[in-house]
Amino acid sequence: MDVRTWLLRRTPIRPLIVTTLGGTDVRLAAERATRIRGWRPALSPAEANLLVVAGPADPTTAPFLDSMWKQIPAPKARIHLDEPAAVETGLTSGADLVRSAVGQPEAEVSTAHEEHETPMPHHEHAGHDMSSMEMPGGIPMADRAPDRDELKLDQLTVPLGPGLPAWPTGLFIRAKLQGDVIQEAAVEVLGEPTAGTEPYWASAKRQRARRLDSCVRLLTVAGWEDAAATAARLRDDILMEKDVESDVTRWARRVRRSRTLRWSLTGLGVLDGPKWTDSPLAGDAYDRLTRWTSSNPTEDDPAAILDALPRLLTGAEFATARLIVASLDPDLERPRVAHG
C-alpha cells in the first residue's frame, strides 16, 4: 500500500448536506446518521469532501449543485438520497468513494442517481471582462450603479441559496451589493414539493422539533456550533418520541443566558407595526429565537416571510443577511398564499 492510498483510507468525512423541497425527512435522517458516525458537517464547499443531496430530484437546483461540486476539493464524492431508507447505504457508499484510490484526485467522482446531477464541464473565465460573467441562475457578477453620493460604484449581484448550509430549503435570493451593504434583494422559491405529499412539519406533534430545527440553523449561522449540535440531538430525540423536556429546558436556559448571542441578534430583521402585533415573527432575530426556545412554539406564515424579506435585507450589511434569514426560517414546503 502506497502513502497516498493509506492517507485516503483515513480521510475524515466532511459531508455537505443540501436539501431539495420535499426532502426534509431525508435531510433529518442524513443529519442524524452523520452525527452518529461522528462526522463533522461541512459549513462550506471548501470544507467538504462528500456532497449529499437529500430529497426529490429537482432540475432547478442542478446549476447550483454543480457549482458547489466544482468548489469541493478532491478527494470527493457526490450522492443523491431520495428517501430516508437510502441514507445508511448511501452514506457508506459515499464515504467509500471519498476514501478510494480509484479516480482520485483529478476525477470528479459522482454517485448521483439522476442524469441531471452529472457534474457540468469546467468553463475557463481567464481574460474575460468580469462584468460579463454569470453565476448560477444566469446572474451577472458585476455592474455599476450610482450610490447615495451620485458616485459610480461597483454593484455586485450575489446569489444566496439554495445550497448554503443552514439555509431554508428552496429559498433563493438575488442580493445587489455596493460595498458590504445590500441595495436590493429579490426573493424566489426554487422547485415544488412532490404533488400529493404532506409537508413534513405540517403535523402539530412535530412543532416542538420544528422549532429546534430552526434553532439549529440560526445557532449554526451565528457560530455557536456546540449549542446547534445539542439542539439537533434534542430535535431528533423528540421526533423519536423520547422524553427530553428537562434537557430541552436546560439547553434553552443556556441559550437565553448567552450575552454574546443576544448582542449578535438584537436589532436584526425587525418586524414591527400593527401588521405584526400578534405574529410569532414580531420583533427582531433575538425575539424570534427566544420564542423558538419556549415550551409553546407557534407556526408562522411562509408567505408573510417571503413578502417581508426584501425589505428586511435592503440596507442590511451582507454579513448579517444570513442571520436575518435564519431567524425567519420559512418552511417553503407548506402552501404559500400570496398577500394582497
Side-chain angles (χ1 to χ4, degrees), residues 2-250:
D2 59 25
V3 174
R4 178 167 159 272
T5 301
W6 186 89
L7 289 172
L8 278 172
R9 291 186 177 180
R10 288 157 179 79
T11 300
I13 303 301
R14 296 294 305 276
L16 179 59
I17 302 173
V18 181
T19 316
T20 60
L21 280 180
T24 297
D25 56 344
V26 185
R27 170 179 66 85
L28 293 172
E31 289 180 356
R32 181 173 182 272
T34 292
R35 185 177 67 254
I36 291 173
R37 291 166 183 247
W39 296 350
R40 184 183 174 193
L43 299 181
S44 71
E47 295 179 359
N49 54 21
L50 178 60
L51 178 60
V52 180
V53 182
D58 181 4
T60 64
T61 62
F64 300 92
L65 295 173
D66 292 332
S67 178
M68 295 180 72
W69 171 252
K70 289 186 216 178
Q71 298 173 55
I72 298 175
K76 61 181 178 178
R78 175 176 176 171
I79 61 174
H80 176 207
L81 307 173
D82 55 8
E83 58 181 1
V87 167
E88 289 294 339
T89 55
L91 292 179
T92 298
S93 298
D96 290 343
L97 283 168
V98 171
R99 292 168 172 158
S100 172
V102 178
Q104 302 285 3
E106 287 89 2
E108 294 184 343
V109 180
S110 173
T111 61
H113 297 168
E114 304 296 331
E115 184 176 349
H116 74 263
E117 290 193 78
T118 303
M120 295 173 66
H122 179 69
H123 297 283
E124 296 294 340
H125 294 295
H128 289 202
D129 179 3
M130 287 293 289
S131 65
S132 67
M133 290 174 61
E134 293 189 351
M135 299 181 111
I139 303 170
M141 288 185 63
D143 202 345
R144 286 185 177 269
D147 74 346
R148 287 172 293 186
D149 298 320
E150 300 301 322
L151 298 175
K152 286 281 187 178
L153 299 178
D154 282 339
Q155 187 177 68
L156 187 68
T157 301
V158 178
L160 292 173
L164 289 172
W167 183 261
T169 303
L171 182 63
F172 178 50
I173 297 174
R174 289 183 174 89
K176 290 187 177 181
L177 300 178
Q178 282 186 326
D180 61 352
V181 177
I182 296 176
Q183 302 295 321
E184 182 181 338
V187 177
E188 298 178 34
V189 178
L190 296 182
E192 289 288 343
T194 304
T197 60
E198 184 179 52
Y200 183 82
W201 297 118
S203 169
K205 293 176 60 178
R206 292 175 175 168
Q207 285 308 301
R208 188 74 169 121
R210 152 75 171 147
R211 282 316 173 196
L212 283 170
D213 190 51
S214 295
C215 290
V216 172
R217 286 178 166 159
L218 182 51
L219 292 170
T220 298
V221 176
W224 197 358
E225 291 185 49
D226 178 59
T230 301
R233 177 179 58 79
L234 293 171
R235 171 201 66 194
D236 295 344
D237 286 346
I238 289 173
L239 290 173
M240 291 187 290
E241 300 185 352
K242 294 183 179 180
D243 183 8
V244 292
E245 195 55 42
S246 60
D247 293 333
V248 172
T249 299
R250 282 193 295 271

Side-chain angles (χ1 to χ4, degrees), residues 245-258:
E245 195 55 42
S246 60
D247 293 333
V248 172
T249 299
R250 282 193 295 271
W251 167 85
R253 187 182 302 119
R254 178 188 174 205
V255 169
R256 290 194 291 264
R257 285 178 176 173
S258 171

